[in-house]
Structures are given as structure tokens and as C-alpha cells.
Amino acid sequence: MPISESRSGGPLERRPQLLQILMMAVWFGLVTGLVEAVGFLGLQAAGLLTWNVKVTAIDQNILWISPIVDLMIALALAAVVFLVTRVVRFKQWPVVATGVFAVFFWYDFIALTGRLRERGTLMLALGLATVVARGVSRAPERWLAFFRRTLAPIALVALLAAGGVKIGQRMWESRQMSRLPPPVPAPNVLFLILDTLRADRLGCYGYARPTTPFLDEYARRAVLFENAISSASWTLPSHASMFTGYEPFEHGATLEPYDGRFPTLAQVFGSRGAVSAGFAANSEILTRPFGLPRGFIVWKAPFETTWDATRRTLYGRRMQKAFESRYLYAYAPRKFMSAEEVNHLFLRWLDGRPDRPFLAFLNYMDTHLPGAPPREFARRFSEQPRHVNFERLVAEDPFNPEDLKEISNQYDASLAYLDSELRNLFDELRRRNLDQNLLVVIASDHGESIGEHELIGHRTSLYLDQLHVPLLIRFPGKTPEGLRVAVPVGTRSLAATIAEMAGLGDSGIPGPSLSPCWSGGPCGESEILSEVDKGGYPGADKHWPVRQGWVKSLLTEKWHFILQQTGKRELFDWKSDPLERRDLAGTPEGQAVVQELMNQLAKKAPLRGLPAPDHSAR
């Protein structure tokens, strides 16, 4: 039977072919987007996503962006199908159109988990699409009628989902605000995390290049901690420690999302009637699915820019991957909001904030490698700024020295840009008369290796280039100006410090608070614990210490002891050897120190899976 006739004998209308193809495109685009959104949400909630899919976390906003993105792609496919069927004059156009759109749908659906390889996903999608196309070929008019009949309800569902997300967010925020108790007298708090910033790249920490003129000025009016040590060498456990005051092995957010077992700083502020708002450029880990925004009524991270929203859809992820592999990082859209965008979101909220004390948390990602500094800043640190394939450089052994130098230049240029935006932020606060009754904490969650120990990046080890971070605290009239504290302190103390200085009373957050460091009391801890769990995730290179198992370290006023799960021990006199080039664990003095610190580490943290000591050599 010719395709131009239905089984009932009526002719199949081919003249309004473009409109019919567009109608099919809208149908498939909306259905694909809705199924994708619900599928992503369900798989994420069930913990069935692979790491590289899960790390680009999604929330309820996926319900509006997925239908929009998939609709745009489907309409583009419709134009191609229409042109092909006109040029080739293929009479069975409903079969061709349905086959193309069905591949589009099934590929999206099958690829959601990220567990199947690309070729297998495509082959399976083609097979299922062939089955669908054959079904359409038997009764094309009936299928076209079905698409027409169901299009309006599907469009209505998509509109309700999108509207429901936006309205629901506002209703949720209003409800959380209404539940806050009457506020207790407290200062406003500004907690700034300069993500992935190592301390030794700031002028106020001795760096010779002019990367941080504003922060250098600010440090002269603040308390500067010369040796602040992070609890971990990557975002999730370090932020969880800074928000709760607990060690990584205690709060449990070492690889999986934070489960809320301890109250966060934002929750404590909320219990005292203050409103907490977060603005995070790190829209991968600092998201509600990863548990860190607990207690924050307002949280702006993912879906705040058009590209960030798009890249969280299935096809958006594919587009990002194609950009990064084909055009490297030079032309790929930035994954994260810039410092200027973070400031804009915060200041917009600030101007409409409720009349309550606030805790505002701002996270900046500009110094996260691979860098993408504005060209005007790049030219300050490199005579001829150029793109470096970061992923290729990381995999090289040894590193290309010229590429490594350019990456270092980009890091400095990115920091200089961030510093300029921090100056703009504090100018705006001063213009709003909000700079006086304001407790400011400026720190980083971890550092960054740039060639040290043959490593680039972070979450690879616990050397000081990944743990030593800047820390500035200023509260006008309450903190001394220009004080430099040399005693090592841990960043997990920041939660207790902020709660105490804000006058929140018995917060329940474990200390120690750092306020005694300038008031004459005991300062910091005698031993600072840092941890990172085994990194068996995509991209973990075989020579990374975390590839072999967990790594833990203990830092004292003189020593930095690093223990790997394999049993490997390293010991550095970090004061005389800040770059940790001389491992003293095998020296006579070092052996005694290692044994002592090994015992102390065993008291502070569990050492599961550590091989039994080998006494055969004795």
C-alpha cells in the first residue's frame, strides 16, 4: 500500500509537510525534555549516576531547561528533515521524520546514566528508532493524528513544570523565611571562599608578582593567618568541614554528598533568626544535591547563567564535551560563573534582602585551573598569552616546562582579575554603608599544585601546595589591624570562629575558635589533620597518591607527616622546607618523629586498610 494512503483509504496530506514536521519536532522535543528531566532527577536521587554525570549536578530547574534545549534541537532537526525530504523527494516523509526524532529521543533516554559507551548507546538508539519507524509506516495518518491530539496536553505539562519550578522556588524561600524565629542581635557576616587558591601566590604571603594589590591592602586592616591548613585537598570535604567544624572522616562527605548528620553554620544562623544566602561559582559540588547548602534559604549556583543551565541537559553535556575536545579550552564556554557574575547576584540580593542579620557565603572559581583570565589581565603576566591544552599537559610525563610556565601565568592572571573584582565588591559594600558592622572571613577551600611533586591540580595528594591556603579575618572594632598569626591553624575552625564572633552563644559547632589567636588565649590546634579519600574517579592518573588509596596528614609547628593507605610515609620540616622537597622519613631523626606522629594520627583518625607493619627487617 502506498504511504500516501492510510489503511482506511484516505489520502495522506503532504502539502502542509513543513507544518507537520514542525509539529512532530515540538512533540518529540517536549517529550524528550520532560522524560530527560524526570529521569535525571530520579537517577540522581537513587544514586545511579556515574561520577562524571553526577558531578554536573541538577536540581528541579532541569524541569524547565531540558524541554527548552531539546525543543530547540528538535526544531533544528526538523529543518534538516524538511530540506532532505524536499531535495530527495522521499514520499515516506513521516517515516523518515519519525525515525530521526526517535533516534533523538532514545539516545537521550539511554545515555542518561552515563554507564553505556557512546557507540553502544547510539546503536541501541538506532535499533529502537527503527522499531518505532516501522510502526509508523503501517499507519502514518493515525500517528500524525496522535501527535496532533496529544501535543497540547504535553505542551501544557511542560509549561506547568517550568512555571511550577519558578513559583515553587519563591514559595519555598518565603516559607523558610516565615519559619525563622525573631532575630537575635548579631552582625552581618560575609564569608568568602576563593576556590583553589594557594597562599603563596598572594603578595601579603610573600609573592613577588603583583597578583593581589587589593587583598594586600585589606590584609593590613585584618588578622592574617600565615599558616592556615585545609582539612582536605578538594571542595566537598573541605567545605563540609568549614560549614560544620568536623573532620572529614566525621562528617562523611569525603566522596558522597553531605548527609546532614551535623548542623551547618547556616542552620545555626537560621536558628538565631538570621537569613543565610549563598552565591557559588562552583556549580558542580556546591549544589543542593551534594548537601552543602543545608540551612541556606537562598542558594544561587547552578542554572544561574544560560550556558550553565544548558550544560546540565543531556545534549548540553555532549556539546560541552565536544567543545572541550575539539577546540580545547580556548573557545569552550566557561563552566563556572565569573567573579563579576557572583558579585552581581549577591549585590542584587543584598539590595532586596529582608530586615534581618545575614550570613552571606560567596564562592569564586576564577583561580580554578584551567584558567581563563580576561585578556587584559593575561597580558600582565605573559608577554604572549596562549592557550595550553590542560588535559594533555596533566597527562604528560614530564610536564612541558613552557606549558607549565604558561599555566602558572594564567593562574596569576586569574587571581589578579579576582582581586580586582573583590575590590569592586567592597567598594559597593562601602557605598551601601555595610562595611562596618560586618564580620568578613576570606579564605580558600584548598590550594593547587602547579608542577610541584610532578602534580597539577588538586585532590591528588596532601602536599602543602594543595593544603596551605590564605586566611584573613576582619571585624571593625573587634579584630586588631595588621596582626599576622604564625601559629598553624585549621580551616575547620572557621565555623566555630564565625559563630562565636557573631555572638550566637552555644552553637554546638566544635572548635577551636580562632579568636584567642588575637586575644591572648591558646591559638589553634597542636596538630592539624587533613584527609583525602581514594580517587578512583575518571581522570585519576596512576601516579597520583590518591589512586592507591586514602591519604592522611598531620601538621605540627615543625613537621608535616603524610601517610598513604599503602603504608608509604613522608616527613617534611615544612618551616625550613616549605616546598617539601626533602623527605626526612628515612633519616634517623625522621624515623623517631614518624613513629611519634603515626601514633598521634592513629588517635585522631581511623586508619582502616593500612597494611600491618613489616618487622622482618628488625
Side-chain angles (χ1 to χ4, degrees):
M1 182 179 65
I3 194 68
S4 60
E5 297 180 3
S6 68
R7 288 193 178 275
S8 60
L12 175 65
E13 296 182 11
R14 293 206 309 271
R15 276 280 40 128
Q17 185 177 329
L18 176 60
L19 293 179
Q20 290 176 320
I21 291 177
L22 288 175
M23 177 266 297
M24 294 173 66
V26 173
W27 192 96
F28 273 97
L30 293 178
V31 168
T32 302
L34 289 170
V35 170
E36 173 189 307
V38 173
F40 262 143
L41 289 170
L43 290 168
Q44 181 173 264
L48 297 177
L49 297 175
T50 60
W51 171 259
N52 56 344
V53 177
K54 179 172 62 177
V55 75
T56 309
I58 53 97
D59 57 27
Q60 67 275 11
N61 284 285
I62 198 71
L63 289 168
W64 63 262
I65 189 60
S66 280
I68 290 175
V69 170
D70 289 346
L71 176 58
M72 295 298 102
I73 296 174
L75 289 174
L77 290 174
V80 174
V81 170
F82 175 71
L83 291 174
V84 170
T85 55
R86 285 291 172 161
V87 171
V88 181
R89 297 193 176 279
F90 191 75
K91 294 182 179 180
Q92 298 185 1
W93 67 263
V95 178
V96 175
T98 303
V100 170
F101 293 133
V103 171
F104 169 71
F105 170 83
W106 284 116
Y107 178 89
D108 187 297
F109 181 78
I110 297 167
L112 284 179
T113 66
R115 296 185 181 278
L116 286 180
R117 292 187 176 182
E118 195 74 15
R119 182 177 296 180
T121 300
L122 184 58
M123 294 300 294
L124 188 53
L126 286 169
L128 291 170
T130 300
V131 174
V132 174
R134 285 176 179 172
V136 171
S137 69
R138 299 189 187 98
E141 262 197 348
R142 191 177 303 166
W143 277 98
L144 287 173
F146 169 77
F147 292 141
R148 283 193 296 269
R149 187 171 61 252
T150 57
L151 180 59
I154 289 170
L156 180 61
V157 170
L159 286 173
L160 290 174
V165 167
K166 295 300 182 181
I167 295 172
Q169 284 178 327
R170 294 191 183 96
M171 291 178 62
W172 184 87
E173 290 179 8
S174 297
R175 187 175 182 184
Q176 297 303 309
M177 283 294 304
S178 67
R179 290 180 171 181
L180 291 177
V184 300
N188 297 319
V189 177
L190 186 60
F191 189 7
L192 306 182
I193 291 298
L194 317 182
D195 208 299
T196 323
L197 179 56
R198 46 191 286 170
D200 61 4
R201 289 302 176 105
L202 283 73
C204 50
Y205 281 83
Y207 196 46
R209 302 180 93 181
T211 53
T212 53
F214 169 72
L215 286 174
D216 297 346
E217 295 172 15
Y218 197 83
R220 290 192 284 270
R221 293 177 284 136
V223 177
L224 181 149
F225 291 83
E226 295 179 346
N227 298 296
I229 304 300
S230 177
S231 298
S233 58
W234 72 291
T235 298
L236 179 62
S238 62
H239 274 82
S241 290
M242 288 188 293
F243 284 179
T244 66
Y246 286 89
E247 305 284 10
F249 79 89
E250 294 174 317
H251 59 61
T254 57
L255 291 174
E256 295 299 323
Y258 177 55
D259 59 14
R261 65 185 68 174
F262 304 117
T264 65
L265 185 63
Q267 288 172 318
V268 172
F269 266 77
S271 69
R272 307 303 197 271
V275 59
S276 296
F279 308 86
N282 189 331
S283 55
E284 293 188 340
I285 302 300
L286 298 184
T287 56
R288 292 200 184 275
F290 273 90
L292 294 174
R294 292 173 184 270
F296 286 91
I297 294 177
V298 176
W299 190 264
K300 302 291 186 181
F303 300 96
E304 293 302 326
T305 65
T306 301
W307 171 244
D308 184 77
T310 301
R311 78 184 186 93
R312 292 175 194 279
T313 67
L314 189 283
Y315 286 106
R317 294 167 193 256
R318 295 298 188 270
M319 286 188 285
Q320 177 179 313
K321 185 177 180 180
F323 263 113
E324 292 178 352
S325 61
R326 185 177 296 274
Y327 300 107
L328 313 179
Y329 283 92
Y331 307 106
R334 284 280 290 170
K335 289 182 180 180
F336 308 114
M337 286 188 289
S338 67
E340 182 180 8
E341 290 171 315
V342 173
N343 288 349
H344 173 73
L345 287 175
F346 167 59
L347 293 172
R348 187 174 63 182
W349 172 82
L350 192 66
D351 291 337
R353 72 190 185 282
D355 187 20
R356 290 173 177 269
F358 66 79
L359 164 66
F361 170 78
L362 278 64
N363 166 275
Y364 300 94
M365 285 287 283
D366 303 275
T367 51
H368 191 289
L369 291 178
R375 187 154 292 272
E376 63 174 293
F377 288 91
R379 289 196 183 102
R380 297 181 189 179
F381 297 90
S382 181
E383 293 181 1
Q384 293 183 328
R386 61 183 177 85
H387 170 70
V388 175
N389 187 332
F390 184 74
E391 289 187 336
R392 187 180 301 162
L393 175 62
V394 170
E396 289 178 348
D397 184 18
F399 300 131
N400 181 308
E402 291 302 315
D403 287 347
L404 195 63
K405 180 180 179 181
E406 187 59 30
I407 285 289
S408 180
N409 289 337
Q410 291 176 11
Y411 188 84
D412 288 348
S414 299
L415 175 53
Y417 161 72
L418 173 57
D419 184 79
S420 71
E421 288 300 324
L422 292 175
R423 183 185 296 277
N424 293 338
L425 172 65
F426 281 88
D427 285 345
E428 290 295 327
L429 292 172
R430 187 164 50 253
R431 191 172 66 82
R432 289 166 171 80
N433 296 317
L434 289 173
D435 59 327
Q436 290 307 306
N437 188 34
L438 182 68
L439 168 59
V440 177
V441 176
I442 303 176
S444 179
D445 55 343
H446 54 79
E448 187 84 324
S449 293
I450 310 179
E452 297 86 357
H453 301 278
E454 299 182 358
L455 297 170
I456 296 180
H458 52 272
R459 196 186 173 186
T460 63
S461 69
L462 291 179
Y463 297 114
L464 283 182
D465 42 86
Q466 295 188 32
L467 293 179
H468 184 201
V469 297
L471 174 57
L472 306 173
I473 298 179
R474 183 172 187 262
F475 191 2
K478 303 292 179 65
T479 55
E481 295 191 358
L483 176 66
R484 299 179 70 94
V485 177
V487 176
V489 299
T491 56
R492 79 174 184 92
S493 292
L494 293 182
T497 304
I498 292 172
E500 181 196 9
M501 295 183 68
L504 300 187
D506 184 11
S507 65
I509 295 176
S513 169
L514 299 180
S515 62
C517 295
W518 59 82
S519 61
C523 178
E525 303 172 81
S526 58
E527 299 153 343
I528 300 170
L529 173 69
S530 301
E531 306 173 76
V532 63
D533 271 354
K534 181 178 180 179
Y537 48 87
D541 198 88
K542 61 182 180 181
H543 75 282
W544 293 359
V546 294
R547 185 65 181 267
Q548 311 305 320
W550 52 252
V551 185
K552 300 179 189 291
S553 81
L554 208 59
L555 186 134
T556 70
E557 287 203 28
K558 178 178 174 64
W559 302 107
H560 185 207
F561 171 58
I562 302 176
L563 174 68
Q564 296 184 27
Q565 188 175 352
T566 58
K568 180 179 179 180
R569 298 160 169 83
E570 294 176 280
L571 181 69
F572 302 97
D573 182 347
W574 63 269
K575 281 195 171 181
S576 62
D577 179 24
L579 297 181
E580 298 182 316
R581 291 172 173 166
R582 299 185 300 276
D583 179 9
L584 304 177
T587 65
E589 179 191 11
Q591 290 176 349
V593 174
V594 163
Q595 188 56 53
E596 178 185 350
L597 293 180
M598 184 75 182
N599 294 335
Q600 294 301 318
L601 182 59
K603 294 177 182 177
K604 289 183 72 74
L607 304 179
R608 301 184 185 93
L610 193 69
D614 183 7
H615 301 294
S616 59
R618 294 185 179 180

